Short mmCIF file of all heavy atoms in Angstrom, two decimals:
data_model
loop_
_atom_site.label_atom_id
_atom_site.label_comp_id
_atom_site.label_asym_id
_atom_site.label_seq_id
_atom_site.Cartn_x
_atom_site.Cartn_y
_atom_site.Cartn_z
N ASP A 1 226.79 191.13 133.63
CA ASP A 1 227.39 192.17 134.46
C ASP A 1 226.90 192.03 135.91
O ASP A 1 225.71 191.80 136.14
CB ASP A 1 227.04 193.55 133.94
CG ASP A 1 227.71 193.85 132.61
OD1 ASP A 1 228.77 193.24 132.32
OD2 ASP A 1 227.18 194.67 131.84
N ILE A 2 227.82 192.19 136.83
CA ILE A 2 227.52 192.12 138.26
C ILE A 2 227.86 193.43 138.92
O ILE A 2 228.93 193.99 138.68
CB ILE A 2 228.34 190.98 138.93
CG1 ILE A 2 228.07 189.62 138.28
CG2 ILE A 2 228.13 190.95 140.43
CD1 ILE A 2 226.65 189.16 138.41
N ASP A 3 226.98 193.91 139.76
CA ASP A 3 227.23 195.05 140.65
C ASP A 3 226.38 194.82 141.89
O ASP A 3 225.21 195.20 141.93
CB ASP A 3 226.88 196.38 139.98
CG ASP A 3 227.32 197.57 140.82
OD1 ASP A 3 227.79 197.39 141.95
OD2 ASP A 3 227.20 198.71 140.31
N ALA A 4 226.96 194.13 142.86
CA ALA A 4 226.22 193.73 144.06
C ALA A 4 226.86 194.33 145.30
O ALA A 4 228.09 194.40 145.40
CB ALA A 4 226.19 192.20 144.16
N ARG A 5 226.03 194.72 146.22
CA ARG A 5 226.51 195.30 147.50
C ARG A 5 226.06 194.38 148.64
O ARG A 5 224.95 193.82 148.61
CB ARG A 5 225.97 196.69 147.70
CG ARG A 5 226.49 197.66 146.65
CD ARG A 5 225.87 199.04 146.79
NE ARG A 5 226.22 199.87 145.67
CZ ARG A 5 227.30 200.67 145.63
NH1 ARG A 5 228.11 200.73 146.65
NH2 ARG A 5 227.55 201.40 144.56
N PHE A 6 226.90 194.25 149.63
CA PHE A 6 226.67 193.39 150.76
C PHE A 6 226.91 194.17 152.05
O PHE A 6 227.86 194.98 152.11
CB PHE A 6 227.59 192.17 150.73
CG PHE A 6 227.35 191.28 149.56
CD1 PHE A 6 227.90 191.58 148.31
CD2 PHE A 6 226.57 190.13 149.66
CE1 PHE A 6 227.69 190.75 147.22
CE2 PHE A 6 226.34 189.31 148.58
CZ PHE A 6 226.90 189.63 147.34
N ALA A 7 226.11 193.91 153.05
CA ALA A 7 226.28 194.47 154.40
C ALA A 7 225.70 193.43 155.36
O ALA A 7 225.01 192.51 154.95
CB ALA A 7 225.57 195.81 154.53
N ARG A 8 225.99 193.61 156.63
CA ARG A 8 225.54 192.65 157.63
C ARG A 8 224.54 193.32 158.56
O ARG A 8 224.65 193.30 159.77
CB ARG A 8 226.76 192.12 158.37
CG ARG A 8 227.72 191.40 157.39
CD ARG A 8 229.00 190.97 158.03
NE ARG A 8 228.82 190.11 159.18
CZ ARG A 8 228.66 188.80 159.12
NH1 ARG A 8 228.66 188.17 157.95
NH2 ARG A 8 228.51 188.09 160.22
N THR A 9 223.49 193.92 157.97
CA THR A 9 222.56 194.76 158.72
C THR A 9 221.38 194.02 159.33
O THR A 9 220.68 194.59 160.14
CB THR A 9 222.01 195.87 157.80
OG1 THR A 9 221.43 195.25 156.64
CG2 THR A 9 223.10 196.82 157.36
N ASN A 10 221.11 192.79 158.93
CA ASN A 10 220.04 191.99 159.53
C ASN A 10 220.32 190.51 159.25
O ASN A 10 221.29 190.17 158.58
CB ASN A 10 218.66 192.42 159.01
CG ASN A 10 218.50 192.24 157.51
OD1 ASN A 10 218.87 191.21 156.94
ND2 ASN A 10 217.95 193.25 156.83
N GLY A 11 219.47 189.64 159.78
CA GLY A 11 219.71 188.21 159.65
C GLY A 11 219.79 187.74 158.19
O GLY A 11 220.60 186.88 157.87
N CYS A 12 218.97 188.28 157.31
CA CYS A 12 218.99 187.88 155.91
C CYS A 12 220.28 188.31 155.23
O CYS A 12 220.88 187.55 154.47
CB CYS A 12 217.79 188.48 155.18
SG CYS A 12 216.20 187.88 155.76
N GLU A 13 220.72 189.53 155.52
CA GLU A 13 221.96 190.03 154.90
C GLU A 13 223.18 189.29 155.45
O GLU A 13 224.13 189.04 154.72
CB GLU A 13 222.09 191.53 155.12
CG GLU A 13 221.05 192.37 154.38
CD GLU A 13 221.16 192.31 152.87
OE1 GLU A 13 222.21 191.88 152.33
OE2 GLU A 13 220.22 192.75 152.20
N ILE A 14 223.15 188.93 156.74
CA ILE A 14 224.23 188.14 157.31
C ILE A 14 224.32 186.78 156.62
O ILE A 14 225.38 186.33 156.22
CB ILE A 14 224.06 187.99 158.83
CG1 ILE A 14 224.22 189.33 159.53
CG2 ILE A 14 225.05 186.96 159.39
CD1 ILE A 14 223.78 189.32 160.98
N ALA A 15 223.16 186.12 156.44
CA ALA A 15 223.13 184.83 155.76
C ALA A 15 223.59 184.95 154.31
O ALA A 15 224.32 184.07 153.79
CB ALA A 15 221.72 184.25 155.82
N ARG A 16 223.22 186.00 153.64
CA ARG A 16 223.65 186.24 152.25
C ARG A 16 225.16 186.38 152.19
O ARG A 16 225.82 185.81 151.30
CB ARG A 16 222.95 187.50 151.73
CG ARG A 16 223.28 187.88 150.31
CD ARG A 16 222.40 189.06 149.90
NE ARG A 16 222.80 189.55 148.59
CZ ARG A 16 223.26 190.77 148.35
NH1 ARG A 16 223.36 191.66 149.30
NH2 ARG A 16 223.59 191.12 147.12
N TRP A 17 225.75 187.12 153.12
CA TRP A 17 227.20 187.29 153.19
C TRP A 17 227.86 185.94 153.42
O TRP A 17 228.79 185.56 152.70
CB TRP A 17 227.54 188.27 154.31
CG TRP A 17 228.99 188.57 154.49
CD1 TRP A 17 229.97 187.69 154.91
CD2 TRP A 17 229.65 189.82 154.28
NE1 TRP A 17 231.19 188.34 154.98
CE2 TRP A 17 231.02 189.63 154.61
CE3 TRP A 17 229.21 191.07 153.88
CZ2 TRP A 17 231.94 190.66 154.54
CZ3 TRP A 17 230.14 192.09 153.81
CH2 TRP A 17 231.49 191.89 154.11
N GLU A 18 227.39 185.23 154.44
CA GLU A 18 228.03 183.97 154.79
C GLU A 18 227.89 182.89 153.74
O GLU A 18 228.76 182.03 153.61
CB GLU A 18 227.47 183.49 156.15
CG GLU A 18 227.95 184.39 157.28
CD GLU A 18 227.38 184.02 158.65
OE1 GLU A 18 226.51 183.12 158.73
OE2 GLU A 18 227.81 184.67 159.62
N SER A 19 226.83 182.93 152.93
CA SER A 19 226.70 181.96 151.85
C SER A 19 227.76 182.15 150.78
O SER A 19 228.05 181.21 150.03
CB SER A 19 225.31 182.02 151.21
OG SER A 19 225.19 183.14 150.38
N LEU A 20 228.37 183.32 150.72
CA LEU A 20 229.41 183.60 149.73
C LEU A 20 230.83 183.39 150.26
O LEU A 20 231.78 183.65 149.53
CB LEU A 20 229.27 185.05 149.21
CG LEU A 20 228.54 185.20 147.91
CD1 LEU A 20 228.55 186.64 147.45
CD2 LEU A 20 229.04 184.31 146.83
N GLN A 21 230.96 182.96 151.50
CA GLN A 21 232.33 182.71 151.99
C GLN A 21 232.89 181.51 151.23
O GLN A 21 232.15 180.54 151.00
CB GLN A 21 232.30 182.43 153.51
CG GLN A 21 231.98 183.66 154.30
CD GLN A 21 231.88 183.36 155.80
OE1 GLN A 21 231.93 182.21 156.23
NE2 GLN A 21 231.70 184.39 156.57
N PRO A 22 234.08 181.54 150.77
CA PRO A 22 235.18 182.47 150.97
C PRO A 22 235.32 183.55 149.91
O PRO A 22 236.36 184.21 149.87
CB PRO A 22 236.39 181.56 150.98
CG PRO A 22 236.06 180.52 149.96
CD PRO A 22 234.55 180.30 150.13
N VAL A 23 234.33 183.74 149.05
CA VAL A 23 234.41 184.88 148.13
C VAL A 23 234.50 186.16 148.96
O VAL A 23 235.33 187.01 148.71
CB VAL A 23 233.19 184.94 147.18
CG1 VAL A 23 233.24 186.15 146.27
CG2 VAL A 23 233.10 183.64 146.36
N LEU A 24 233.62 186.26 149.97
CA LEU A 24 233.71 187.33 150.97
C LEU A 24 234.37 186.73 152.22
O LEU A 24 234.14 185.55 152.53
CB LEU A 24 232.31 187.86 151.29
CG LEU A 24 231.57 188.55 150.15
CD1 LEU A 24 230.18 188.97 150.61
CD2 LEU A 24 232.37 189.74 149.65
N PRO A 25 235.13 187.50 152.95
CA PRO A 25 235.82 186.97 154.10
C PRO A 25 234.88 186.77 155.29
O PRO A 25 233.78 187.34 155.33
CB PRO A 25 236.84 188.05 154.45
CG PRO A 25 236.19 189.31 154.03
CD PRO A 25 235.42 188.94 152.77
N GLN A 26 235.31 185.94 156.22
CA GLN A 26 234.57 185.82 157.47
C GLN A 26 234.71 187.15 158.20
O GLN A 26 235.82 187.66 158.38
CB GLN A 26 235.11 184.70 158.32
CG GLN A 26 234.31 184.45 159.55
CD GLN A 26 234.77 183.18 160.27
OE1 GLN A 26 235.75 182.56 159.91
NE2 GLN A 26 234.04 182.82 161.30
N ALA A 27 233.59 187.73 158.58
CA ALA A 27 233.61 189.04 159.23
C ALA A 27 233.48 188.87 160.74
O ALA A 27 232.83 187.94 161.21
CB ALA A 27 232.48 189.92 158.70
N ARG A 28 234.08 189.79 161.45
CA ARG A 28 233.96 189.81 162.90
C ARG A 28 233.05 190.93 163.30
O ARG A 28 233.18 192.04 162.78
CB ARG A 28 235.35 190.01 163.53
CG ARG A 28 236.32 188.91 163.17
CD ARG A 28 237.67 189.17 163.75
NE ARG A 28 238.65 188.21 163.22
CZ ARG A 28 239.91 188.45 163.06
NH1 ARG A 28 240.42 189.61 163.42
NH2 ARG A 28 240.71 187.52 162.59
N SER A 29 232.16 190.65 164.23
CA SER A 29 231.21 191.69 164.70
C SER A 29 231.89 192.71 165.57
O SER A 29 232.79 192.46 166.27
CB SER A 29 230.07 191.06 165.48
OG SER A 29 229.40 190.12 164.69
#
């Protein structure tokens, strides 16, 4: 089971988001 939350609140969270592209879309600041 998966229940994961993502945000772009700091450098680590930004890297976590970007490592999942294209599962998650490219975000614009």
Side-chain angles (χ1 to χ4, degrees):
D1 292 334
I2 301 298
D3 188 353
R5 295 177 189 269
F6 296 82
R8 299 174 57 85
T9 55
N10 62 45
C12 295
E13 293 293 346
I14 293 168
R16 180 174 174 241
W17 181 294
E18 291 177 354
S19 76
L20 263 184
Q21 289 176 354
V23 178
L24 295 177
Q26 185 171 7
R28 299 178 189 151
S29 302

